[in-house]
Amino acid sequence: MHINRTLLSVALVVVALVIQVSVLARLQLPGATPDLLLLVVLGLAFVYGPVSGALIGFGAGLLADLAPPADHAAGRYALVLCVIGYLAGMARPENGQLKSAFTPMAFVFAAAIGSTLLYAGVGALVGDTAARHVGLGSLLVTAVVYDLLLAPFTVPLIMALARRTVNDPVADTGSGDVAAGWLASGTGLRIGGQRNGMRLRAARGRAARAGRIKGVKRL
């Protein structure tokens, strides 16, 4: 990855991990804990693609495995987020044009279920039965609900920040921006349209001023 992408990814992962450990994990919500780290990996993978998504997911998961109060084997969550990041990167269109919020939200739904099942499956292989005390069904339902509620407020912002580090012509067009498409379809905000409208009005203003200057010179 480029240096700008790496710095942004590290900063977002660290901030998300701190918030998740110090705030979200202490809310004592029933069932699962809102997985902000998962949403950060998804948002970056949607923009950077499968390889970068897998690397970011592995690094984020490894930090979560090592950060206190982690009580599971190191590498367990790294494997989960590595797989999720790769698959999320595969969902990114080749041209970067994603105008509907349905695909990202559907992937958040699938990732919440997949990460919970994969985490529990790996735990069963290594002899960790902690999930049995809560109930796998309860974990699945609450993980989906929490992540879907949190996703519209986090993933579009992460994608918008990631777009700024991508040297891609698509990033200069509001209608083709992945994050703009999410915001326009998912929240009703016409970010891309407003940006293009402002550019058009500015161009018309410059043309009008140029015409007035030429007219004065001719007189």
Side-chain angles (χ1 to χ4, degrees), residues 63-133:
L63 286 178
D65 289 331
L66 299 176
D71 56 354
H72 54 268
R76 182 174 168 186
Y77 200 48
L79 173 62
V80 173
L81 289 186
C82 179
V83 174
I84 296 296
Y86 182 82
L87 295 178
M90 294 291 292
R92 177 185 181 270
E94 296 259 338
N95 57 4
Q97 295 182 354
L98 187 60
K99 299 181 180 179
S100 173
F102 175 78
T103 299
M105 289 298 287
F107 208 95
V108 170
F109 176 85
I113 295 178
S115 62
T116 304
L117 291 176
L118 185 56
Y119 186 83
V122 175
L125 292 177
V126 298
D128 184 1
T129 58
R132 296 180 182 177
H133 301 289

Side-chain angles (χ1 to χ4, degrees), residues 1 5 9-10 12-13 17 35-46 48-66 75-89 115 118:
M1 294 189 295
R5 300 189 191 185
S9 301
V10 171
L12 290 176
V13 166
L17 181 60
D35 200 340
L36 182 60
L37 205 59
L38 172 66
L39 298 178
V40 169
V41 171
L42 289 177
L44 294 174
F46 284 146
Y48 293 154
V51 176
S52 297
L55 293 174
I56 294 170
F58 180 81
L62 188 59
L63 286 178
D65 289 331
L66 299 176
R76 182 174 168 186
Y77 200 48
L79 173 62
V80 173
L81 289 186
C82 179
V83 174
I84 296 296
Y86 182 82
L87 295 178
S115 62
L118 185 56

Side-chain angles (χ1 to χ4, degrees), residues 3-217:
I3 185 65
N4 291 337
R5 300 189 191 185
T6 303
L7 293 176
L8 177 64
S9 301
V10 171
L12 290 176
V13 166
V14 170
V15 170
L17 181 60
V18 171
I19 294 175
Q20 183 161 322
V21 171
S22 61
V23 179
L24 298 179
R26 298 186 179 183
L27 294 178
Q28 297 183 348
L29 297 173
T33 300
D35 200 340
L36 182 60
L37 205 59
L38 172 66
L39 298 178
V40 169
V41 171
L42 289 177
L44 294 174
F46 284 146
V47 178
Y48 293 154
V51 176
S52 297
L55 293 174
I56 294 170
F58 180 81
L62 188 59
L63 286 178
D65 289 331
L66 299 176
D71 56 354
H72 54 268
R76 182 174 168 186
Y77 200 48
L79 173 62
V80 173
L81 289 186
C82 179
V83 174
I84 296 296
Y86 182 82
L87 295 178
M90 294 291 292
R92 177 185 181 270
E94 296 259 338
N95 57 4
Q97 295 182 354
L98 187 60
K99 299 181 180 179
S100 173
F102 175 78
T103 299
M105 289 298 287
F107 208 95
V108 170
F109 176 85
I113 295 178
S115 62
T116 304
L117 291 176
L118 185 56
Y119 186 83
V122 175
L125 292 177
V126 298
D128 184 1
T129 58
R132 296 180 182 177
H133 301 289
V134 180
L136 185 58
S138 175
L139 286 177
L140 287 173
V141 172
T142 52
V144 169
V145 171
Y146 296 153
D147 291 347
L148 286 179
L149 289 176
L150 195 58
F153 303 100
T154 56
V155 179
L157 176 61
I158 293 167
M159 294 172 67
L161 292 174
R163 264 295 179 192
R164 294 180 178 273
T165 65
V166 177
N167 294 323
D168 191 340
V170 176
D172 295 331
T173 59
S175 60
D177 195 332
V178 178
W182 175 303
L183 289 171
S185 300
T187 64
L189 299 177
R190 299 181 58 85
I191 302 298
Q194 291 177 357
R195 186 188 306 169
N196 291 337
M198 293 175 63
R199 291 177 179 174
L200 183 59
R201 287 193 294 270
R204 289 177 176 175
R206 288 194 296 269
R209 288 194 297 271
R212 288 195 295 269
I213 292 173
K214 290 182 179 179
V216 171
K217 289 182 177 180

